[in-house]
Amino acid sequence: MAAGLLGGYGTFGSILGRFLYPSGGAERVWQFVTPLDRLPVGDSLTYTTPAGAEVHVTRRNDSGGSEDVTALSSVCPHLGCQVHWQPQRNRYFCPCHNGVFDAEGRGVAGPVEGTVLSGYPVEVRNGLLFIKVEPAPLITQASRA
């Protein structure tokens, strides 16, 4: 009986400890996206991170530096729908409720007004574009089964 109580309370204490003192967020790593010259000014591409998140990488200027590129989550903060880059209007559009985000990812019209798309750091090294993202999880759902 004592062993059962000790095992039960020990397991409860372990779970409580992980809840009260969670580990820090996953460390982010730099991932290669594309040569910068393959992304024309005004164009956007969808990059899928190793963890599975979709990111819109948009080139807005032509100076050749990191400030030319914006990397924003493709998930609308309103209801989680997929936003789309509209180069002719220089904006991101969420078709679920006609939400509009400017080129910086700030919600400017519709139910998304006042919200912001999550951003990712970008860097240009020797003409190559990199994005800082979370790596793939070590354990996937498929390998748990």
Side-chain angles (χ1 to χ4, degrees), residues 7 9-10 18-19 21 25-26 36 39 49 56 62-63 75 77-78 83 87 89 122 145:
Y9 283 120
R18 280 189 265 157
F19 175 74
Y21 303 102
L36 190 60
L39 185 61
T49 70
H56 282 290
D62 196 20
S63 69
V75 178
H78 178 233
V83 299
R89 294 188 173 176
V122 294

Side-chain angles (χ1 to χ4, degrees), residues 80-138:
C81 298
Q82 296 292 312
V83 299
H84 306 283
W85 174 247
Q86 294 180 329
Q88 68 280 11
R89 294 188 173 176
N90 196 34
R91 70 180 193 177
Y92 294 95
F93 179 73
C94 180
C96 290
H97 297 102
N98 295 327
V100 178
F101 298 88
D102 66 11
E104 299 289 326
R106 293 182 297 263
V108 294
V112 299
E113 192 169 348
T115 63
V116 178
L117 293 172
S118 301
Y120 292 83
V122 294
E123 189 173 290
V124 175
R125 300 182 209 152
N126 300 322
L128 303 176
L129 179 62
F130 292 85
I131 183 172
K132 197 169 193 178
V133 296
E134 291 183 9
L138 296 176

